[in-house]
Amino acid sequence: MRFPMRLPPTRLIRALAVAAMAALPGCGALSALQGEPERDLFELRPPAALTCGPARIGELVIEPPKTRGTLDSNRIMIRPSVLQTQYLPDAEWGDTVPLTLQRLLVESLGATGSFRQVGRAPLGLSGDYALISEIRDFNAEMADGGVVIRLTVDAQMVSEMEANVVSRASFSATVPAASTRTADLIPAFDAGARQLVGQMRGWALTASGVAPSSCR
């Protein structure tokens, strides 16, 4: 006659605890997270540095860009169609898309030397200028001619002292990619981001009273 196997007391307690946790709401998501594959991390570069001479303007604050929920993530988006959103399974950005763009703008505008301070938040109650933006597109997409990287941002430069919008503009960069392979998409994203941030840097300098033609 065979008897059922009995677990040692410590193993029995552990097994009961795991079973109880699995029954709790949200523990399925925890299991799913534990099973996610490891992804390679990538960071985008700012455009080549531009120097504009001694600082003549006060403080510029780069506000965190706004965007929709599917882009407010560190996942790398690819759109097979206008109605479908997917993410690369083997790669992701080192930070969320909005924080990535904010970092690139802080670095590229700070390097110009045109502002006494460029940061993510004001040093005091408010800065002299604030750059407010919204990301419309930051993804790869399938097109008739193949794969393209599409980056689109709407932006406003606000004078904090006068409480009014000094300038507003839209920016876009479209770069072809050889395929949907990560090795082909990342360099195209990098080229597109450098174009986009370069456009935004030139506009921001002009909007705050600096002539980009005087920079080198």
Side-chain angles (χ1 to χ4, degrees):
M1 181 175 181
R2 301 180 64 184
F3 295 95
M5 183 179 68
R6 294 175 180 269
L7 290 173
T10 55
R11 292 182 60 189
L12 177 60
I13 292 172
R14 188 180 301 117
L16 290 174
V18 170
M21 287 184 66
L24 293 175
C27 286
L30 178 61
S31 300
L33 286 174
Q34 291 172 340
E36 281 195 0
E38 290 189 7
R39 302 184 183 93
D40 293 330
L41 295 179
F42 293 91
E43 287 192 344
L44 300 175
R45 298 173 296 168
L50 195 65
T51 303
C52 304
R56 300 188 300 273
I57 306 167
E59 184 180 10
L60 173 63
V61 176
I62 311 296
E63 299 283 350
K66 306 294 184 184
T67 194
R68 61 187 184 276
T70 51
L71 276 176
D72 193 7
S73 166
N74 63 344
R75 300 296 303 275
I76 301 174
M77 181 186 290
I78 181 167
R79 306 192 69 177
S81 70
V82 294
L83 299 177
Q84 188 177 10
T85 294
Q86 296 179 352
Y87 301 98
L88 291 184
D90 60 346
E92 62 186 35
W93 302 124
D95 216 327
T96 66
V97 169
L99 292 182
T100 294
L101 178 59
Q102 185 187 37
R103 173 182 62 81
L104 294 174
L105 289 169
V106 169
E107 290 179 5
S108 60
L109 283 163
T112 65
S114 296
F115 304 90
R116 288 194 294 273
Q117 164 71 14
V118 178
R120 296 170 176 81
L123 295 177
L125 295 178
S126 67
D128 296 286
Y129 288 94
L131 196 163
I132 301 170
S133 60
E134 182 167 356
I135 302 170
R136 300 291 187 186
D137 302 291
F138 206 99
N139 55 265
E141 61 183 49
M142 306 299 293
D144 293 337
V147 185
V148 297
I149 303 301
R150 189 177 305 280
L151 312 178
T152 310
V153 174
D154 296 336
Q156 299 180 61
M157 182 68 78
V158 176
S159 170
E160 298 280 39
M161 300 295 291
E162 300 176 7
N164 73 308
V165 176
V166 174
S167 179
R168 55 168 55 90
S170 295
F171 307 91
S172 64
T174 304
V175 178
S179 74
T180 56
R181 293 174 60 247
T182 299
D184 292 324
L185 291 177
I186 298 302
F189 265 110
D190 187 57
R194 298 181 84 184
Q195 288 182 28
L196 181 80
V197 174
Q199 295 171 24
M200 296 183 71
R201 176 179 61 189
W203 162 80
L205 289 171
T206 301
S208 52
V210 179
S213 59
S214 65
C215 306
R216 62 179 186 274

